[in-house]
Amino acid sequence: MKSVLFVCLGNICRSPMADAIAAHMARQRGLDLRVDSAGTGAWHAGEAADRRTLAVLRAHGIPYDGRARQVRVSDFAEFDLILAMDRSNLRDLLAICPPANRDRVHLVLEPLGEGLEVGDPYYGGPDGFEVVYRQLTEALEHWLA
Ligand code: 4NP
């Protein structure tokens, strides 16, 4: 079974959204895909996703009940793909990634253009979360294909 891990800073806003959308798309397409998400930081470990992420998912009919966790070095061997939301996440991941697994680590928006990022919506309004949803949905269509 193929597997993908989505990574952001807190694992409460962007990467849980990606996790939920990818799992939903895989179910719709009958794909056997293992999906998870994690944060480079541990501040929110054990917490449910941000209510604004959950509201956008709910509006699109997508369930999510995951809890935040920090990324582990073992993730690099366990997941076929590790997709970072922004360049800061990518840098933090590559700093701890075993050399043999570096080619598994990419920016999630890579299929839409080199260097594109999913901006952190944490300090903005609810519109930012809908933008994140649209960016992720478009990129994930490419990754799942
Ligand atoms: P995320 O957003 O990385 O998309 O989960 C953030 C969540 C929390 C914080 C920063 C970004 N924080 O500073 O607590």
Side-chain angles (χ1 to χ4, degrees), residues 48-115:
D50 188 283
R51 63 193 157 72
R52 295 164 295 177
T53 282
L54 293 173
V56 167
L57 288 171
R58 201 176 308 118
H60 291 279
I62 302 176
Y64 187 72
D65 64 0
R67 295 272 163 177
R69 72 169 176 90
Q70 190 172 26
V71 73
R72 311 182 263 269
V73 171
S74 58
D75 287 325
F76 296 103
E78 245 183 72
F79 289 87
D80 299 306
L81 265 181
I82 297 117
L83 299 178
M85 297 297 129
D86 62 33
R87 291 193 289 264
S88 166
N89 307 147
L90 182 70
R91 201 162 46 239
D92 291 343
L93 287 169
L94 291 173
I96 60 166
C97 181
N101 295 328
R102 287 176 75 89
D103 59 348
R104 300 178 175 202
V105 186
H106 299 263
L107 282 172
V108 69
L109 297 188
E110 185 183 289
L112 307 184
E114 199 186 323

Side-chain angles (χ1 to χ4, degrees), residues 8-16 43-44 89 120-123:
C8 61
L9 179 61
N11 192 209
I12 55 170
C13 298
R14 292 165 292 175
S15 63
W43 310 284
H44 296 281
N89 307 147
D120 187 348
Y122 189 65
Y123 294 105

